[in-house]
Amino acid sequence: MEILEQFRNLISVENKFIKGWKHQNKPVLGYACSYTPEEIIYAGEILPIRVLGSLEPPKLADVYLPVNVCSFAKCCFDEALKGEYRLLDGYVVSNSCDNQNKIYDLWRHCTAINKTYFINTPHSSTENAIKFFYEELERFKEWLTKEFDVEISEENLKDAIGIFNENRRLLKSVYELRKRSPPLVSGSEALEIVLSSMMIPKDEHNKLLRVLLEENEKREDLPEKGVRLLVSGSVMGNSELFRLIESVRGCVVADDLCTGSRYFWNLVRENGDSTMAIAERYLCKIPCPFMYSSEERFKHVREMVKLFDVEGVLIFSLKSCDVHSFDAPLLAEELRENEGLPVSCLEWEHSLSGIAQLRTRIEAFIEMLEE
Amino acid sequence: MSERRLETLRGFYRNYVKPFYEVAHKAREEGKLVAWVASTFPVEIILAMDIIPVWPESYASLCAARRVSVPLCELAERKGFSKDLCSYPRCVLGSLFDGENLPEGGIPRPDILVASTCACDTHLKWFQVASRIFKKPFLLLDVPYNVESANAENLPDYYIQHYVSQLEDLISLLEKHSGIGLDEGKLRKTLELSSRASELWLKIQDYRKKVPAPMGAREAFSAVYFILCIPGTEQAVDFYERLCAELEQMVKQGIGVVEDEKYRLVWDNLPLWFDLQMFPYLRSLGAVVVAETFSHVWTGSLDPSKPYESLARKHLSNMSNCAIEGRIELIAGLVRDFRANGVILPTNWGCRMMTIGETVVKKKVQEMTGVSSLILDVDSTDWRNYDEYRVKTKLETYLKTLT
Ligand code: SF4
Ligand code: SF4
């Protein structure tokens, strides 16, 4: 379907919507992590887009960084060094993991991006943490207002929350299509749809999603049937790995990724003070593993497994990603023992170096499930 | 070149480290509460509550010094923990998975685990995993990152407040688990002792500013134990007083730790715990480590009349909790104050904090002080990738460039 192609093409910092936005003299802000409260940025008529790196080997970044560093965070830094993010008016990091936090130092010292901001996202969701985060968001708002000369009113915030929630609901409807067998959208298509939602204004994305949901009813070129898999991990900035899985008869029907379901699964409460509602949403969402509790994420995986009728789970950890790597054996054990599910844990590099070996292992896992 | 040993440090392991584990093991048997504590957690609270602290990081370094850390890391790796994780948790978790002949009878098991997010994600994740293994509660102090590397005075009030309210909640939880209330008087006393130990430790560092320096890294990485693990105790104060006295004598007599001091070095991050002979080797080349960043991150005065607030200020401005500027300024300051002519920047394979940004540190320190640095890609505990010959050659070549 043509609309699917459109989504794929939007995953670029030079897409037509970003250009159009810049054309109207409105700022674009890159962000590093799914804990960035995008609604606040958007409410100030600033376009938040996610920095997703690329598949190229990070040659420039290698001058500054050794090998034992998260290849995703490294690759984003590399793109910044190369000047690929010249359209960005600033870059925001939100206290996610050590790799991101420390590489943020290098962004400040070594790249041409001059407006940078660090949001101190707490690592727990207690009442104290929410109160603190609220203050932190107020400070962030002040920074945005001053740096970009914009206004962020309560009314703007309410509108932004409405639009973002709508996007989340629509994305959930897209995921619904994957419950069928064969699924009505493939894993790589679904990932591309979610990734594209991070790269254009959400109201525009909503329009596209509505078209997709309508057209999909009549879809004829359905994705292949295959072994129904859930993929768990951190970021995937493109769909190459999913395509690889699909090329060896895997059918990714669900995920636990920070560029997948963890990005949009939870809504923001639409009553009461907006900033407080945003603070709550981000701290109480399906957590990434740098948060105090892993249990909630494990629970999410178990639920996804049931909802999407999953037959096997692939857990991907990017090499040198501490937080996911610590969780991987625990999550695997829990799924094997409590859910009786086959699980395979794999390490990978964001640039997909060593892909041949990865393919062999994934294929072997799928073959085992086919038996 | 002959090397001088400090009297105060004679039998350090036997006299201080070993008994520490004996006490902790015995405490378990007697049903006293044992807590696993991560560095950068305000241990004064634990000490004041008579809970027995056990330091998994220290245990890992001990295993490395005894050359058993690698087999333990391998055990953890077999359980699926990545080789790219910090070798401390790999080693300690490995020791829990049927490790044999463990030093000091193994790490004492915890009834409760406490950590803060000050230093790294590793503390959080490692303790989370351990808490699942032991089925014991894990309490976290979630410390806001100090991205401006600001002095505590310049941080927003709500940062301090956040730390304080968490500490209050955490103390009530500890009280609930231990059945012991925190005695305010005792806390005050502990903080006083901690401040005193900190002052003495800084005084010890001051002696090292003298040329020739009376103490090197080998001693410092042992003696730092008190300020790191049990700062709020009489034992810490007493030990540091004795060390001060000895150093004072040496300084008076102009005795240095090496006879012919040619190079004065600053050492960042951790030592190679499995090869502490590195330091005597450096001395044999006329190089003495006069300052370690590690010796300067645990200090800080505490105000017993504002216990929680002063703990908050101390930890929020700990270099481990700061953006890179904190590290750069500390190292440049040490170079100047200790009249160093070289800086060694060892990385630590699984530690992002000690790995990312070394190139920037090197460049900035050079700009600020004119002193060049040597980056060594190593690991503190896991020697599998360690090439002793290569590292020594690098060091020798580097020393020759120093003036
Ligand atoms: S993959 Fe892991 S290390 Fe890399 S940015 Fe994400 S959470 Fe951080
Ligand atoms: S060595 Fe680094 S990663 Fe490991 S516990 Fe220490 S600070 Fe954390």
Side-chain angles (χ1 to χ4, degrees):
Chain A
M1 275 192 309
E2 193 255 319
I3 179 94
L4 291 167
E5 191 104 3
Q6 277 192 44
F7 284 114
R8 178 165 343 127
N9 293 335
L10 291 174
I11 313 172
S12 148
V13 269
E14 308 245 324
N15 73 48
K16 61 175 190 212
F17 289 102
I18 297 179
K19 284 191 178 146
W21 189 276
K22 293 284 301 188
H23 207 71
Q24 296 171 49
N25 270 329
K26 292 193 288 188
V28 178
L29 206 54
Y31 66 88
C33 164
S34 62
Y35 276 80
T36 311
E38 284 179 80
E39 291 86 344
I40 294 180
I41 303 172
Y42 192 78
E45 281 205 78
I46 302 169
L47 179 63
I49 65 162
R50 180 136 186 198
V51 166
L52 289 171
S54 78
L55 282 166
E56 281 169 43
K59 290 213 187 82
L60 290 182
D62 278 338
V63 175
Y64 296 89
L65 291 164
V67 287
N68 46 324
V69 167
C70 160
S71 53
F72 170 72
K74 187 195 251 187
C75 153
C76 295
F77 171 54
D78 187 71
E79 295 282 292
L81 287 173
K82 282 196 295 202
E84 293 295 325
Y85 301 139
R86 57 190 161 263
L87 282 185
L88 297 187
D89 296 287
Y91 178 61
V92 184
V93 168
S94 43
N95 195 24
S96 48
C97 63
D98 288 348
N99 275 289
Q100 285 284 16
N101 290 2
K102 297 296 167 191
I103 292 182
Y104 175 65
D105 287 333
L106 301 187
W107 277 73
R108 288 186 294 118
H109 280 273
C110 316
T111 74
I113 290 178
N114 55 17
K115 285 182 185 166
T116 57
Y117 194 84
F118 187 95
I119 303 171
N120 239 315
T121 309
H123 286 200
S124 69
S125 52
T126 59
E127 227 173 277
N128 276 333
I130 293 171
K131 222 166 79 198
F132 172 84
F133 197 38
Y134 172 82
E135 303 259 14
E136 192 61 14
L137 293 183
E138 286 292 335
R139 197 154 81 126
F140 177 50
K141 238 194 267 175
E142 253 169 59
W143 179 78
L144 289 171
T145 319
K146 248 194 6 239
E147 280 301 316
F148 298 99
D149 195 19
V150 293
E151 207 199 299
I152 302 175
S153 64
E154 179 62 22
E155 206 185 319
N156 300 146
L157 281 170
K158 283 242 166 352
D159 289 344
I161 290 174
I163 294 170
F164 274 64
N165 276 350
E166 178 64 4
N167 192 251
R168 290 172 179 130
R169 283 190 209 99
L170 291 166
L171 287 174
K172 267 199 171 175
S173 311
V174 173
Y175 268 43
E176 282 292 315
L177 304 173
R178 305 165 76 189
K179 288 187 175 163
R180 314 233 195 122
S181 176
L184 298 186
V185 293
S186 72
S188 50
E189 288 160 356
L191 179 61
E192 283 160 2
I193 292 167
V194 182
L195 286 173
S196 65
S197 79
M198 306 170 187
M199 303 305 288
I200 70 170
K202 287 281 195 286
D203 52 346
E204 297 290 347
H205 202 259
N206 289 345
K207 285 185 209 154
L208 291 173
L209 283 173
R210 281 192 208 99
V211 175
L212 168 83
L213 288 166
E214 207 184 293
E215 283 186 7
N216 209 78
E217 298 283 316
K218 307 172 265 184
R219 180 170 190 183
E220 278 162 10
D221 57 332
L222 288 181
E224 302 266 325
K225 242 182 173 174
V227 176
R228 297 178 67 86
L229 299 172
L230 179 141
V231 170
S232 171
S234 51
V235 291
M236 286 186 190
N238 54 64
S239 57
E240 286 309 307
L241 194 53
F242 274 31
R243 288 182 186 279
L244 176 89
I245 299 169
E246 285 159 4
S247 77
V248 290
R249 301 175 310 286
C251 179
V252 183
V253 292
D255 73 73
D256 155 52
L257 295 176
C258 85
T259 48
S261 67
R262 293 206 306 260
Y263 175 63
F264 67 82
W265 214 248
N266 307 82
L267 301 182
V268 179
R269 164 167 65 75
E270 292 194 34
N271 52 15
D273 181 84
S274 297
T275 308
M276 187 50 103
I278 292 170
E280 284 169 13
R281 187 266 171 189
Y282 283 88
L283 294 191
C284 302
K285 77 183 192 75
I286 311 287
C288 277
F290 53 75
M291 295 292 278
Y292 175 53
S293 157
S294 285
E295 306 303 326
E296 285 300 310
R297 184 167 76 91
F298 292 2
K299 202 171 108 204
H300 173 63
V301 177
R302 289 200 309 267
E303 279 169 11
M304 294 293 264
V305 161
K306 297 216 170 76
L307 284 174
F308 291 87
D309 198 14
V310 166
E311 296 167 273
V313 176
L314 290 169
I315 302 178
F316 285 98
S317 313
L318 276 165
K319 272 175 82 63
S320 301
C321 167
D322 306 303
V323 293
H324 285 84
S325 303
F326 266 108
D327 272 2
L330 304 186
L331 178 59
E333 186 184 61
E334 179 158 329
L335 293 172
R336 281 188 198 119
E337 289 185 0
N338 300 346
E339 310 294 320
L341 267 177
V343 182
S344 177
C345 292
L346 300 157
E347 287 195 336
W348 68 299
E349 299 271 7
H350 197 259
S351 63
L352 291 180
S353 62
I355 193 166
Q357 210 192 350
L358 211 51
R359 177 186 287 114
T360 314
R361 292 197 55 191
I362 296 169
E363 188 163 23
F365 180 70
I366 290 172
E367 267 167 17
M368 181 198 77
L369 287 173
E370 282 168 338
E371 270 166 20
Chain B
M1 249 166 271
S2 73
E3 188 200 329
R4 223 194 113 96
R5 300 193 79 134
L6 295 180
E7 271 312 307
T8 319
L9 275 129
R10 228 174 252 281
F12 189 84
Y13 188 84
R14 188 171 12 96
N15 294 331
Y16 303 106
V17 182
K18 207 175 172 57
F20 178 80
Y21 285 95
E22 284 164 4
V23 167
H25 280 301
K26 193 147 161 270
R28 271 219 65 104
E29 280 162 27
E30 289 167 355
K32 278 199 201 141
L33 205 75
V34 174
W36 271 22
V37 185
S39 67
T40 71
F41 184 88
V43 66
E44 287 84 356
I45 301 288
I46 303 293
L47 295 169
M49 291 180 84
D50 281 328
I51 298 172
I52 310 292
V54 168
W55 298 85
E57 288 150 276
S58 277
Y59 189 70
S61 63
L62 187 158
C63 290
R66 297 282 202 81
R67 307 271 311 175
V68 296
S69 49
V70 165
L72 298 177
C73 287
E74 284 166 346
L75 282 174
E77 287 155 24
R78 246 172 272 150
K79 290 272 178 187
F81 292 98
S82 166
K83 227 175 157 170
D84 297 317
L85 291 173
C86 172
S87 48
Y88 277 1
R90 270 186 286 136
C91 169
V92 173
L93 292 174
S95 81
L96 306 176
F97 308 134
D98 36 63
E100 282 170 18
N101 301 326
L102 298 169
E104 303 314 324
I107 183 165
R109 313 215 141 206
D111 300 296
I112 196 159
L113 302 93
V114 290
S116 91
T117 55
C118 241
C120 57
D121 298 331
T122 298
H123 285 160
L124 163 63
K125 297 308 293 180
W126 173 6
F127 278 42
Q128 230 176 36
V129 172
S131 127
R132 265 174 89 107
I133 293 175
F134 292 120
K135 299 194 173 54
K136 297 289 180 192
F138 164 39
L139 310 181
L140 177 75
L141 198 56
D142 181 20
V143 184
Y145 187 57
N146 187 345
V147 70
E148 281 117 25
S149 288
N151 286 331
E153 287 69 40
N154 299 332
L155 288 169
D157 278 344
Y158 67 92
Y159 276 44
I160 311 289
Q161 196 42 52
H162 185 43
Y163 190 103
V164 170
S165 19
Q166 288 184 80
L167 202 52
E168 284 166 352
D169 288 355
L170 202 138
I171 290 168
S172 12
L173 285 171
L174 281 172
E175 286 176 332
K176 211 180 89 203
H177 285 287
S178 65
I180 308 165
L182 173 63
D183 175 343
E184 295 288 336
K186 194 145 184 216
L187 178 62
R188 229 174 293 130
K189 179 93 182 106
T190 310
L191 295 192
E192 274 163 21
L193 287 169
S194 177
S195 292
R196 176 81 186 121
S198 176
E199 262 166 45
L200 287 163
W201 181 246
L202 284 175
K203 194 167 158 201
I204 289 165
Q205 306 313 315
D206 275 341
Y207 289 122
R208 302 171 74 190
K209 291 178 180 162
K210 300 283 189 284
V211 182
M215 179 173 127
R218 181 77 176 86
E219 297 80 10
F221 277 116
S222 295
V224 72
Y225 161 79
F226 294 102
I227 186 92
L228 175 64
C229 300
I230 46 168
T233 59
E234 303 275 2
Q235 198 190 18
V237 170
D238 170 66
F239 181 88
Y240 288 155
E241 275 171 350
R242 281 185 289 123
L243 185 55
C244 272
E246 185 178 2
L247 293 174
E248 181 159 326
Q249 276 308 313
M250 287 174 73
V251 167
K252 263 193 199 141
Q253 296 165 15
I255 303 172
V257 75
V258 281
E259 242 168 43
D260 181 13
E261 185 182 286
K262 282 203 279 204
Y263 312 105
R264 296 171 64 83
L265 304 175
V266 171
W267 187 280
D268 192 22
N269 297 327
L270 295 175
L272 298 166
W273 293 115
F274 57 83
D275 186 10
L276 291 168
Q277 288 308 315
M278 170 69 77
F279 297 119
Y281 160 75
L282 282 170
R283 287 173 190 178
S284 74
L285 303 171
V288 57
V289 173
V290 289
E292 307 79 25
T293 46
F294 197 78
S295 293
H296 289 264
V297 289
W298 312 112
T299 53
S301 70
L302 297 165
D303 177 355
S305 70
K306 293 183 193 146
Y308 301 162
E309 191 184 318
S310 61
L311 285 169
R313 291 186 189 281
K314 175 176 165 182
H315 288 281
L316 276 158
S317 42
N318 182 321
M319 184 200 75
S320 328
N321 189 49
C322 288
I324 203 162
E325 286 76 6
R327 185 119 137 264
I328 294 167
E329 270 156 38
L330 176 60
I331 295 177
L334 293 177
V335 167
R336 281 190 215 109
D337 297 348
F338 288 75
R339 288 182 269 178
N341 51 358
V343 178
I344 311 291
L345 302 172
T347 63
N348 194 20
W349 180 263
C351 174
R352 311 313 148 202
M353 174 180 60
M354 299 182 192
T355 298
I356 299 174
E358 295 298 63
T359 42
V360 174
V361 172
K362 179 177 157 134
K363 180 165 162 264
K364 291 278 166 191
V365 169
Q366 170 111 38
E367 280 168 17
M368 289 162 81
T369 65
V371 169
S372 74
S373 310
L374 173 69
I375 299 174
L376 287 179
D377 284 318
V378 286
D379 189 275
S380 67
T381 317
D382 181 345
W383 59 78
R384 278 171 292 179
N385 286 326
Y386 180 58
D387 179 344
E388 187 181 343
Y389 177 77
R390 196 183 59 95
V391 169
K392 283 187 171 168
T393 314
K394 264 192 149 179
L395 280 166
E396 279 172 38
T397 317
Y398 170 71
L399 289 180
K400 282 191 196 125
T401 66
L402 302 182
T403 42

